[in-house]
Amino acid sequence: MDRTDYLPHIAYDSVIFGFSGDKLKILIMEYHNTKLFALPGGFVGIKEDLNDAVRRGLKERTGLDDIYLEQFYTFGDMARFKPEVMKTILQAIDDNVSDDHWLLERFISVAYYALIDYEKVVPRPDAISDSCTWYDVDGLPKLMLDHQKIVNKALQTLRQNLDHKLTNLLPEKFTMKELQSVYEAILGEKLRRTTFQRKLLASDLLVRHEKLYNGGAHKAPFLYSFARSEDLRS
């Protein structure tokens, strides 16, 4: 990386959420030969929009480009400035790292979270990582710098106005049980089935479709999808 290609002192970190059917997952990178775990992130090209840089990084890690993305916070505490951590990462690739390398300078990070279809992703490590892997949100490895703080803030933000953010974590059509499972995975708590269903069915969020027949007909659940704006007008 040539420092002249990137904006100085600006980075981004992405909390990439996926739902496996019963667990909320996050993509985590492990840097080469360091045992350091981190959120996928990167830097902004000198002639690149910030959002475009983040989308570029997400496509490189997931193979997807149609992703729900939301900027939620900027992290710039002095406590996150630990040049020795970045030097460890760089030295795992090249022993000849000078003390004035530009990546050892202080960076603030603009944080985003992304909601993606877990089934469509084949995670891809970058050139300086050994792996890019899904982890349960409640079973993350110890993350470097302030990345756990970033995850916690992303979860807090995701839980706000949750009803309007789940389209990208579920298939186009889903059962009420699947919908409740993703709510419980994000909120980290069990919900009363009757209360949950009553609330959702009384809202304008869902469209009901045919039943899903996969066994006894009397047990077949209805399928639902999230209402689009044209559904609400009809």
Side-chain angles (χ1 to χ4, degrees):
M1 283 188 177
D2 189 328
R3 73 182 305 155
T4 60
D5 293 332
Y6 296 93
L7 293 175
H9 309 294
I10 298 290
Y12 67 84
D13 287 296
S14 299
V15 183
I16 304 174
F17 290 110
F19 183 64
S20 66
D22 61 345
K23 291 283 189 177
L24 186 65
K25 305 274 191 176
I26 296 178
L27 269 182
I28 299 295
M29 315 283 292
E30 182 179 4
Y31 284 113
H32 177 65
N33 278 349
T34 64
K35 298 190 183 302
L36 291 172
F37 295 87
L39 295 167
F43 306 98
V44 184
I46 200 75
K47 294 183 178 180
E48 185 177 35
D49 291 343
L50 173 58
N51 285 349
D52 289 343
V54 179
R55 292 188 182 280
R56 168 177 53 80
L58 288 173
K59 185 171 184 179
E60 290 169 355
R61 301 287 70 76
T62 68
L64 304 179
D65 51 17
D66 184 17
I67 291 176
Y68 179 89
L69 188 66
E70 186 171 321
Q71 183 184 134
F72 66 91
Y73 205 75
T74 300
F75 292 83
D77 290 354
M78 276 298 301
R80 78 185 318 269
F81 177 48
K82 295 181 179 179
E84 65 275 12
V85 174
M86 183 55 70
K87 192 166 186 178
T88 297
I89 294 170
L90 295 175
Q91 286 179 329
I93 304 163
D94 182 0
D95 288 335
N96 188 26
V97 178
S98 64
D99 289 338
D100 64 349
H101 194 290
W102 70 283
L103 288 177
L104 304 182
E105 297 172 1
R106 183 185 175 190
F107 282 80
I108 65 170
S109 181
V110 183
Y112 289 73
Y113 73 81
L115 304 178
I116 63 178
D117 188 335
Y118 175 85
E119 297 295 336
K120 293 181 179 179
V121 176
V122 179
R124 305 168 181 174
D126 60 21
I128 60 175
S129 301
D130 286 331
S131 67
C132 180
T133 306
W134 288 109
Y135 287 85
D136 293 349
V137 71
D138 56 358
L140 298 179
K142 183 178 180 180
L143 302 179
M144 67 180 229
L145 301 178
D146 58 352
H147 286 203
Q148 184 63 57
K149 184 177 179 181
I150 296 174
V151 170
N152 295 343
K153 185 67 174 178
L155 277 168
Q156 178 188 8
T157 307
L158 177 60
R159 288 165 178 163
Q160 298 167 353
N161 200 22
L162 182 57
D163 292 343
H164 299 279
K165 297 177 179 177
L166 297 183
T167 306
N168 303 276
L169 287 177
L170 288 164
E172 182 178 352
K173 293 182 181 179
F174 47 84
T175 65
M176 187 64 70
K177 182 178 180 181
E178 289 171 330
L179 181 60
Q180 182 170 338
S181 292
V182 73
Y183 268 85
E184 291 176 340
I186 293 172
L187 297 174
E189 60 181 273
K190 289 293 184 182
L191 303 173
R192 184 183 293 273
R193 182 176 63 85
T194 53
T195 304
F196 175 81
Q197 292 190 8
R198 189 182 306 116
K199 173 191 171 186
L200 268 294
L201 292 174
S203 73
D204 292 327
L205 294 172
L206 301 178
V207 175
R208 192 167 80 174
H209 301 280
E210 70 282 359
K211 287 188 175 183
L212 175 64
Y213 291 98
N214 55 8
H218 63 287
K219 295 183 179 179
F222 282 103
L223 291 172
Y224 296 87
S225 64
F226 289 107
R228 301 163 296 179
S229 57
E230 53 267 34
D231 295 326
L232 298 177
R233 289 195 298 268
S234 60

